Amino acid sequence: YGPGIRAVIWVDKSLANYRKLIPKSLASKPQRYPPHITVVRTGKEQPITNEEAWGKYEGEVIHFTYDSNIQFDGTYYYLNVFSDRIGDIREELGLPRYRDGQDKYHIALGNVKSEAP
């Protein structure tokens, strides 16, 4: 849990090694932050309706599975992640089970964002 209503699950840094499988010719840039799964994203979601639950699971080990096939959405390279526990925590906070209308979570590996001039 961090400032500004943001919550992430830090994952084993070795998962970032999947980035090495993205061909260099695709000019992927590494992510700004260490490998993680975003549970709640600052300013990108509806307000939390159960603020008493904020921070309740700080330090809990969250189990998840991931698909080792690298996905690409036109901007980001990522691994799909599945976890009922993440959805349970989000729902307890008063948020939808998944973000952005998805049915899964993800670990970002890289991106092809252009640098601002």
Side-chain angles (χ1 to χ4, degrees):
Y1 297 89
I5 311 298
R6 182 171 192 262
V8 300
I9 299 167
W10 298 111
V11 301
D12 189 302
K13 290 181 182 183
S14 67
L15 287 175
N17 289 337
Y18 276 96
R19 187 175 185 289
K20 295 176 184 175
L21 299 175
I22 301 169
K24 292 188 187 311
S25 63
L26 298 177
S28 168
K29 299 175 186 88
Q31 288 301 105
R32 181 183 307 179
Y33 302 104
H36 65 279
I37 303 165
T38 301
V39 178
V40 179
R41 188 169 176 197
T42 306
K44 300 287 185 177
E45 303 199 57
Q46 67 189 46
I48 291 171
T49 59
N50 181 10
E51 292 184 21
E52 295 80 36
W54 185 255
K56 182 175 177 181
Y57 302 105
E58 178 80 38
E60 178 179 328
V61 174
I62 305 292
H63 297 278
F64 63 90
T65 57
Y66 66 94
D67 182 343
S68 61
N69 293 309
I70 298 172
Q71 304 297 312
F72 181 63
D73 67 5
T75 303
Y76 294 96
Y77 291 94
Y78 60 93
L79 301 176
N80 282 325
V81 170
F82 308 91
S83 172
D84 287 335
R85 185 67 181 127
I86 296 171
D88 294 344
I89 291 169
R90 286 182 54 82
E91 286 181 342
E92 187 172 351
L93 289 166
L95 297 171
R97 194 157 187 83
Y98 301 99
R99 292 181 30 226
D100 305 324
Q102 299 291 314
D103 63 352
K104 57 194 149 300
Y105 309 98
H106 68 270
I107 299 169
L109 300 172
N111 66 72
V112 294
K113 292 180 183 179
S114 61
E115 297 296 321

